């Protein structure tokens, strides 16, 4: 459980579940946090997992993301195109149970989610529910 934290000015992703797992991620929850001017707020990737390994009962809920994708890190990164509040890479698992709900995404640079490196679209188990999206808010702090 990650709860009630503030992440500010992170060069890369503030919180990530990533790797080449033998057992995966289960019951991981990020909630009621604030993310400000990080390159990304929440990232998942899973490459070459063990059979049946992936994301089970995980969530990113009730968070506030302000100008994520707009901070100093996003400006100097060589892969500027991946700057977005949510990032999904290399989903080589069919075990995806992630809820992204009731978040406020305020002042992001263009897209809410960046899918890349072999993941062209979100899997059915990555559920977006009741999020508030307000891109391009000038001067939002």
């Amino acid at each position: 459980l990650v709860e009630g934290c503030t992440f500010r000015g992170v060069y890369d992703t503030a919180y990530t579940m990533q790797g080449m797992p033998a057992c995966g991620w289960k019951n991981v929850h990020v909630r009621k946090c604030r993310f400000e001017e990080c390159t990304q707020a929440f990232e998942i990737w899973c490459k070459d997992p063990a059979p049946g390994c992936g994301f089970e009962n995980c969530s990113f809920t009730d968070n506030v993301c302000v100008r994520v994708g707009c901070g100093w890190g996003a400006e100097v990164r060589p892969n500027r195109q991946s700057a977005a509040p949510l990032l999904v890479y290399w989903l080589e698992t069919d075990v995806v149970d992630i809820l992204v709900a009731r978040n406020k995404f305020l002042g992001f640079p263009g897209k809410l989610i960046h899918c890349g490196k072999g993941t062209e679209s979100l899997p059915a188990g990555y559920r977006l529910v009741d999020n508030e999206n307000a891109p391009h808010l000038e001067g939002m702090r």
Side-chain angles (χ1 to χ4, degrees), residues 23-113:
C23 60
W25 301 266
K26 190 173 190 176
N27 301 319
V28 177
H29 304 286
V30 179
R31 66 181 180 216
K32 299 179 182 174
C33 294
R34 185 172 177 91
F35 299 83
E36 299 175 359
E37 297 187 350
C38 303
T39 301
Q40 297 95 12
F42 181 64
E43 170 189 23
I44 63 167
W45 66 263
C46 181
K47 188 172 181 176
D48 195 26
C53 179
F55 306 93
E56 296 180 54
N57 188 36
C58 297
S59 67
F60 185 81
T61 57
D62 302 305
N63 299 293
V64 176
C65 300
V66 179
R67 293 182 43 80
V68 172
C70 301
W72 73 272
E75 295 300 322
V76 301
R77 290 181 66 85
N79 60 342
R80 176 79 178 107
Q81 75 281 1
S82 67
L86 305 172
L87 184 61
V88 178
Y89 277 154
W90 286 312
L91 283 186
E92 295 179 359
T93 178
D94 58 354
V95 181
V96 179
D97 176 17
I98 298 176
L99 175 64
V100 177
R102 301 176 309 278
N103 300 290
K104 292 182 179 182
F105 297 104
L106 309 172
F108 54 94
K111 58 187 167 189
L112 177 63
I113 303 168

